[in-house]
Every structure is written in C-alpha cells, then in structure tokens.
C-alpha cells in the first residue's frame, strides 16, 4: 500500500497502547483504513512470551521470538503511526495520553501529549513483589527479553565463579543453588529449562561441579501449578522429583538478601518454621501487579474504586465508568486469567468491534444521504426507498454485535526432560495429559502459534542447533 503520511481529518484517531498479545492481535485484524491509528509502546516489537523461558538457557535465541512492530505495521493501509514511548498518564476528560521517551537516546522532545477519539489500553502488567524486602534489588524476573538475557548471563556467571580456583565448598554450594520463587507456570517452566541445561550441557562441560548444582522451587500454596488439574499437578511434582528439582510448597518467602532467601514454611504438623535458602541465582515469578499508568487512571475514575487487579471492563471490554476507552489483556479485569490466550482473543474481538463500528457509521451516513435525496429526486422515490431498506437491513445485521466471549483452548506447560503437561478442552470435554508425547504436542502447538514464518523457522533452527551441538554457554 501507498504510505499515507498525513492523518485524515474526517476519521477518528484510535490510539493503541502496547505491542503485546492484546494490542498486536487487535492491530493484525483491524481495518486500519477506517481510523487514524497511533500505536505507542516502549517496546518496538511483539514478544512471543510462551517460549521466553527457553531463552534463559539458550535453547532458543531471543531474537527468534521477537517480531518488529514496524514489520507488522508495514502492510497496514491508511494512516498508521508508531511511537517508541511509554504512556505515563491518561486524561479521560481531555482525551489525551501523556507519553515520554524512556530510551537511551533522547532528542530535544522527550515528553508530549497525544490526543485520542478512541483509546485501547493493552499495557500488560508488571512483576508482583508484594513489597517483600530485597526482592527488587536481588532477584531476576522473567517477563521481558532483557530479563531472559540477564538470567542466561547470571547462570553462567554462577557456574564459572563456582569453578574458580580455591572456592570453598560452602560457597560452591551457594553459587550453584538456583532458587525459583513462585510455582505458577512461569516458575515451573523456568525450573524445568534450567535443569535441562544443567543435565544436557553444563554437567558435560564442567564435570567437576556436577554433583553440586541444585534447583529449588518455592511455592506458598500446598501445590505448584494451581490452575492445572490435580492429576497433572501430581505428574509435575513426581517428574520434578526425578529431575532432582526440590519443590518446597507451603513455603512463603518473607525477605530476600543478596545471598539468601528467608521464608516461613508450614511443616506437616502445622507448625510454622523459619527457613533460609542461600542462593547464587534467584528468579522471582510470583505473578502480576498493576502498572503505574493503569493505577493512575483507575484513581481518576470513581467506578474503578473497588477494582484491585486492573481496569474493570464490561462485556464489550469498555473500561467501566469511562467513555471511548477499552482495555485488553493483563491490564483488564474481564473475569479471565491473565494469559496470552485471553489477551489475543480480546484483541481479535476489539478489531471486529471497531471494523463493525466503522461500517455502521458508513451505512448510517449512506441512509442519511439517501433520505436527503428523496425530496430532491421525486421520480426515483421507489428505487431510493428500496435502497434505504436494503441499507437498513445491512445495518441491523452488523449492528448486532455479541458481547466478548472467551473460548478456552486449554493450558500447556513444559516441565523439563522433554516432557510437558496439557489440560486441553476438546469437543466440550477436558483432556489431561503429561509426558513425552505431550511435549511434541507442546512444541507443535507453540510453533504453529509463532507470529510469523520467519519466527517459526528461527525457532526450529534453534531447537535443532541446541540438540545437535548443545547450548552455547559463552557468557556475553
Ligand atoms: P503484554 O504482552 O505484556 O504486552 C504489554 C505491552 O505494553 C508491551 O509491549 C509493553 O512494552 C507495553 N507497555 C508497557 N507499559 C507501557 C506504557 N506505560 N505505555 C505503553 N505501552 C506500555 N500465556 C499463555 O496463554 N500461554 C503461555 O504459554 C504463556 N507463557 C508465558 C510465559 C512467560 C515467561 C510469561 C511472563 C507469560 C506467559 N504467558 C502465557 C502470559 C502472557 O504472556 C500474558 O498474559 C500476555 O503477554 C498478556 O498480553 P498483554 O497484551 O496484556 O500484555
Ligand atoms: P502465577 O500468578 O500463575 O503464579 C505465581 C505463584 O507464586 C502463585 O502460585 C503464588 O502462590 C506464588 N507466590 C506468591 N507469593 C509468594 C511468596 N511470597 N512466596 C512463595 N510463593 C509465592 O504467576 P506466573 O506463573 O508468572 O503466571 C502469570 C500468568 O501468566 C498466569 O495467568 C499464567 O497462567 C500465565 N502463564 C501461562 C503459562 C503457560 O500457559 N504455559 C506460562 C507462564 C505464564
């Protein structure tokens, strides 16, 4: 398509915040010719998060799961702009978004305002730390590409430091103790990837430390993967036992220092005891918290005062108590889990909704024009009336938009040793499976979901490369 430099003043300005699962699903299906579209995100790419845990050990290289937003938007028609910036606040009365350039290179303008007629908020969530002392300063998180790169670097730093001449046995044990806090899917998948890395690569390359490497997964609840079926929880826990990953359930982390995790564990007799886990690497994966820009907006809308986990939306994903603002994905509370699957379906729904709204407006305008011409062309009354009727019929058909309905396809998680667990919905029934076949299903499902053919080929190449030659242990 011809690039359209200037916005069309006859069209509404649709501002989309974020380039994650929700916003990109919307942009992919949106007929951008109907609006002046402005996309704002500090991240100029889409990230395929389901394969992010594999980047922490180099099973997959990080660029294989990134797709530049510029490439995604290149094929869109009409006026579509992208700004690499972070939204700092939203003014729902003046209908403007305040944005700033938070990157390393800055020009003379680093902060400005962007007006909108319609706004979609898809900024996701940040990492929850529950204000536990020491977490922010000492942990790695696992949400963004930079997090995965940092973890990869730190794993090898711990290993090389443990292998350093004259290191004391206690220090070797500490450095090679990898602690993961949070037994949700992020923590479980990361622990599995870590153990694979150790068994398949590090052990062979540095055999002198091979009996000292340990992975511990700490979870406050009585079991890991609370959202999976009981049978798969048991399967995961027994697989972890075989893989020698130590699961500490009913253990709530209370404090973190630079070398140890302090927790309170409930013993089988119900007594509480203090436990300390010295660590070399600590990965914190205890779920989501609300981003400041979302919290700020919630504070400005009285109808949001009782919402805690994000922007409460109605069944059309409209932010409750606001006009012309929609929210999707992890920053929206629509009654579903914060997953890519939900965010993607919400984005698709909004694209359909906005495409329909534009068509509705065009048809309404056509009816207005036709009605106006009834008086001007008395000889054509019958013909014009027929056309009005037909347009009204079309309008009724498309105006009838059903509310958003989430269709759950199932949950999948990798648990290490080429095994995966899957809770899949099939023909209104649920099907739970775990093991090596499920692992093949997991790989093919995620491969088919990758953003582009380019991503798919890169991921296959990475899997083959790490299988044939081992993972690359160089510390960049
Ligand atoms: P995100 O995808 O997080 O995107 C948010 C976007 O907003 C980003 O582009 C970000 O840069 C941008 N942004 C942030 N702040 C601002 C701001 N102030 N202004 C403008 N833009 C901003 N879910 C599954 O269903 N299946 C899985 O297998 C799965 N695996 C996962 C693995 C990991 C390691 C993680 C962390 C999550 C996983 N999830 C999975 C959950 C899934 O990634 C999220 O639910 C999903 O990303 C939510 O989509 P979103 O669009 O709301 O947010
Ligand atoms: P989560 O919210 O699913 O799990 C966090 C876990 O941390 C909880 O089980 C909680 O009990 C525990 N926890 C909290 N505070 C703690 C403390 N102080 N000490 C010990 N444990 C503590 O978080 P997640 O795994 O990051 O997942 C976030 C979302 O992303 C979820 O909706 C999840 O379904 C989705 N996700 C899905 C997949 C997948 O489908 N494979 C993978 C990753 C993430």
């Amino acid at each position: 398509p011809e690039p359209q430099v200037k916005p069309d003043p006859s069209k509404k300005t649709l501002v989309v915040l974020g380039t994650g699962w929700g916003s990109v699903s919307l942009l992919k299906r949106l007929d951008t010719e109907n609006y002046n579209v402005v996309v704002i995100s500090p991240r100029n790419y889409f990230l395929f998060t389901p394969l992010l845990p594999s980047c922490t050990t180099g099973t997959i290289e990080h660029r294989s799961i990134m797709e530049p937003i510029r490439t995604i938007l290149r094929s869109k028609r009409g006026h579509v702009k992208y700004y690499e910036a972070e939204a700092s606040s939203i003014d729902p009365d003046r209908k403007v978004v305040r944005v700033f350039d938070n990157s390393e290179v800055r020009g003379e303008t680093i902060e400005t305002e962007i007006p909108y007629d319609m706004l979609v908020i898809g900024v996701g969530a940040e990492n929850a730390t529950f204000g536990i002392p020491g977490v922010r300063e000492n942990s790695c998180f696992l949400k963004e590409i930079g997090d995965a790169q940092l973890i990869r670097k730190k794993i090898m730093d711990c290993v090389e430091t443990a292998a350093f001449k004259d290191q004391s046995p206690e220090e070797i044990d500490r450095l090679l103790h990898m602690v993961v806090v949070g037994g949700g899917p992020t923590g479980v998948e990361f622990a599995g990837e870590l153990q694979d890395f150790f068994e398949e690569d590090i052990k062979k390359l540095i055999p002198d430390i091979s009996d000292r490497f340990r992975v511990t997964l700490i979870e406050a609840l009585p079991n890991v993967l609370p959202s999976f079926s009981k049978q798969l929880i048991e399967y995961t826990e027994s697989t972890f036992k075989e893989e020698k990953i130590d699961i500490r359930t009913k253990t709530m982390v209370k404090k973190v220092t630079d070398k140890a995790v302090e927790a309170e564990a409930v013993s089988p007799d119900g007594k509480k005891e203090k436990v300390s886990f010295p660590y070399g690497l600590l990965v914190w994966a205890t779920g989501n918290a609300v981003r400041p820009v979302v919290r700020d907006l919630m504070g400005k809308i009285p109808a949001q005062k009782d919402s805690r986990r994000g922007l409460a939306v109605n069944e059309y994903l409209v932010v409750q108590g606001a006009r012309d603002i929609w929210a999707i994905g992890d920053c929206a509370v629509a009654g579903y889990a914060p997953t890519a699957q939900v965010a993607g379906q919400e984005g698709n729904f909004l694209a359909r909704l906005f495409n329909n709204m534009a068509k509705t407006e065009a048809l309404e305008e056509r009816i207005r024009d036709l009605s106006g011409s009834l008086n001007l062309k008395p000889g054509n009354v019958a013909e014009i009336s027929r056309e009005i009727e037909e347009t009204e019929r079309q309008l009724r058909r498309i105006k009838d938009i059903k509310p958003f309905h989430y269709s759950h396809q199932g949950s999948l998680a990798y648990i290490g040793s080429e095994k995966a667990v899957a809770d899949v919905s099939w023909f209104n029934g649920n099907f739970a499976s775990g093991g090596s076949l499920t692992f093949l299903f997991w790989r093919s499902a995620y491969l088919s979901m990758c953003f582009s053919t380019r991503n798919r080929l890169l991921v296959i190449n990475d899997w083959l490369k790490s299988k044939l030659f081992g993972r690359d242990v160089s510390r960049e």
Side-chain angles (χ1 to χ4, degrees), residues 84 101-107:
E84 190 189 79
D101 177 2
N102 198 12
S103 65
E104 269 169 43
V105 178
R106 292 176 182 191

Side-chain angles (χ1 to χ4, degrees), residues 17-23 40-43 45 47 49-50 52-53 85-88 122-125 142-144 186 189 291 293 328-331 338-343 412 446:
L17 303 184
T19 46
W21 276 96
S23 301
I40 301 160
S41 175
R43 196 174 82 187
Y45 56 88
L47 171 62
T49 47
L52 189 61
E86 208 171 304
S88 51
V123 298
L142 184 49
K143 199 167 202 36
E144 298 292 342
T186 304
E189 290 193 319
R291 283 203 192 276
V293 63
I328 49 179
D330 286 2
C331 66
T339 65
Q341 228 181 115
V342 171
L412 279 168
Y446 282 169

Side-chain angles (χ1 to χ4, degrees), residues 101-303:
D101 177 2
N102 198 12
S103 65
E104 269 169 43
V105 178
R106 292 176 182 191
E108 279 175 5
T109 305
I110 56 164
E111 195 166 13
T112 186
E113 281 187 346
I114 295 177
Y116 65 83
D117 296 307
M118 296 156 72
L119 174 68
V120 176
I121 308 177
V123 298
E126 57 178 37
N127 296 295
T129 63
F130 307 105
I132 297 169
V135 175
R136 285 236 175 264
E137 303 85 311
N138 301 299
S139 315
C140 291
F141 297 101
L142 184 49
K143 199 167 202 36
E144 298 292 342
I145 282 293
D147 299 333
Q149 286 173 296
L150 183 65
I151 292 173
R152 189 172 174 186
K153 228 183 220 181
K154 276 205 169 178
I155 298 169
M156 282 321 293
D157 202 357
C158 286
V159 169
E160 298 295 6
T161 310
F164 188 50
K165 188 171 177 294
D166 298 338
Q167 205 69 271
S168 73
E170 298 77 40
E171 191 62 348
I172 295 175
D173 283 341
R174 180 185 73 81
L175 288 163
L176 293 181
H177 189 199
M178 313 276 142
V179 173
V180 185
V181 181
T186 304
V188 164
E189 290 193 319
F190 171 65
E193 294 278 355
L194 195 52
Q195 192 63 25
D196 284 357
F197 185 31
F198 179 69
E199 285 298 328
E200 291 163 17
D201 299 287
I202 299 178
K203 215 169 157 178
K204 289 181 201 151
L205 296 168
I206 318 167
D208 30 325
I209 55 166
S210 68
D211 55 342
R212 317 290 276 272
F213 191 92
R214 280 181 309 138
V215 179
T216 300
L217 178 65
I218 303 176
E219 167 58 50
L221 296 175
N223 54 265
V224 296
L225 291 182
S227 58
F228 282 68
S229 55
K230 191 164 173 282
Q231 167 196 353
L232 293 183
I233 291 171
E234 280 165 12
Y235 180 75
T236 305
E237 292 185 346
S238 71
T239 306
F240 270 20
K241 213 174 243 164
E242 280 167 28
E243 288 170 3
K244 298 196 188 66
I245 296 173
D246 188 13
I247 300 186
R248 297 296 191 96
T249 50
K250 294 190 188 168
T251 305
M252 167 90 81
V253 173
K254 298 281 184 184
K255 188 182 157 193
V256 172
T257 66
D258 60 344
K259 291 195 174 130
V261 169
E262 316 283 344
E264 192 176 80
V266 181
S267 54
D269 59 5
K271 281 208 190 99
K272 284 184 179 164
E273 53 184 15
K274 287 206 160 35
V275 265
S276 177
F277 302 90
Y279 69 83
L281 172 81
L282 169 63
V283 172
W284 192 265
T286 63
N288 291 346
V290 178
R291 283 203 192 276
V293 63
V294 171
R295 209 176 319 115
D296 175 71
L297 178 64
M298 288 164 71
K300 291 174 181 162
I301 305 172

Side-chain angles (χ1 to χ4, degrees), residues 87-99:
S88 51
S89 69
I90 295 159
D91 186 334
D93 299 323
R94 288 173 51 233
K95 294 182 100 170
V96 292
V97 182
R98 187 136 201 99
V99 302

Side-chain angles (χ1 to χ4, degrees), residues 48 412 439-450 463:
F48 187 75
L412 279 168
F439 166 69
L440 294 178
F441 174 65
W442 174 84
R443 275 205 163 171
S444 48
Y446 282 169
L447 202 56
S448 71
M449 281 159 60
C450 275
W463 279 337

